[in-house]
Amino acid sequence: MKNAWRRWITTVNLAAIALMPTLIFLAFSHRATADDPGVCYMITSSGKTVGLGRLCGNTNIAAPVDTVDNRVFRVSIKRRFGGTPVIDVTFNDKKTFEMIVDTGASGTIITQAMANTLKLQATGTMQAQVADGSEVEFPTSKVKSIAAGGVTANNLQVAIAPKASIGLLGHDFFGNYDIKILEKEVEFHHR
């Protein structure tokens, strides 16, 4: 069972962003951890973390809220791309980019412009199979961290899509969370 978690392949639907024909298969393995409560919060006398993003005057700050024993992280939706939410995602604690929250993507895909800004060098390649059965090769690289609100993934391998206009945030980032897409926010519910 442990080996199954190390190598898993699922389908990524890229039709919404017109990178290439509809489906690509990616193999990544990483789990995100929620250990950052954001920059504006308080801890109650009973040990609960309460997000204060709205009180601090920044509605784009994720607001972690303690429930019974699960943490919920809320991130504001900036806009929608083909009906799919776009949120701000920070790489390596320095650069923030808009990315699509793609619940059908197994791995995180960044654009060539993002890779250039982050000064990433390709460290490998991966094969992807598109829906028509043809093979496509993506360069890959690792990033130190990816964060959206209080959810953080460290040492994550990302695919670099040279023709993409916006990145996709995939299950390798939020795989330990149930995602709830609301009108103005995306909620990450820790499992």
Side-chain angles (χ1 to χ4, degrees):
M1 183 71 172
K2 288 183 182 177
N3 286 335
W5 282 107
R6 289 188 181 129
R7 303 191 107 197
W8 50 282
I9 299 174
T10 56
T11 303
V12 178
N13 184 344
L14 299 179
I17 62 170
L19 285 175
M20 56 193 58
T22 51
L23 300 175
I24 289 183
F25 297 96
L26 298 175
F28 292 104
S29 65
H30 185 76
R31 291 189 176 169
T33 56
D35 55 2
D36 179 9
V39 296
C40 186
Y41 66 96
M42 73 174 206
I43 299 176
T44 66
S45 59
S46 63
K48 291 184 179 182
T49 302
V50 178
L52 302 174
R54 291 189 195 342
L55 290 175
C56 293
N58 187 348
T59 58
N60 287 326
I61 295 174
V65 178
D66 249 348
T67 56
V68 179
D69 59 356
N70 294 330
R71 292 178 72 171
V72 178
F73 295 87
R74 293 185 178 102
V75 181
S76 294
I77 295 173
K78 291 186 73 177
R79 61 188 176 93
R80 293 192 183 253
F81 191 95
T84 307
V86 174
I87 64 171
D88 278 334
V89 179
T90 302
F91 285 74
N92 300 334
D93 297 320
K94 295 178 183 175
K95 301 289 183 179
T96 300
F97 303 96
E98 289 186 349
M99 293 187 75
I100 294 173
V101 178
D102 190 343
T103 58
S106 61
T108 296
I109 300 173
I110 65 171
T111 67
Q112 185 64 57
M114 292 168 70
N116 293 345
T117 300
L118 294 167
K119 298 179 181 168
L120 296 179
Q121 298 295 319
T123 56
T125 59
M126 60 163 269
Q127 293 291 322
Q129 186 177 31
V130 295
D132 67 3
S134 62
E135 293 281 327
V136 177
E137 187 172 270
F138 284 114
T140 61
S141 191
K142 282 206 174 199
V143 293
K144 292 178 187 173
S145 66
I146 299 176
V151 181
T152 303
N154 295 307
N155 299 314
L156 195 69
Q157 182 180 15
V158 296
I160 303 167
K163 296 180 182 178
S165 61
I166 189 168
L168 298 177
L169 193 60
H171 279 271
D172 55 346
F173 175 76
F174 55 75
N176 290 333
Y177 295 85
D178 292 322
I179 306 295
K180 189 173 188 179
I181 299 173
L182 305 171
E183 180 183 359
K184 296 181 181 183
E185 297 175 316
V186 175
E187 291 182 348
F188 296 89
H189 295 258
H190 197 274
R191 290 187 192 138

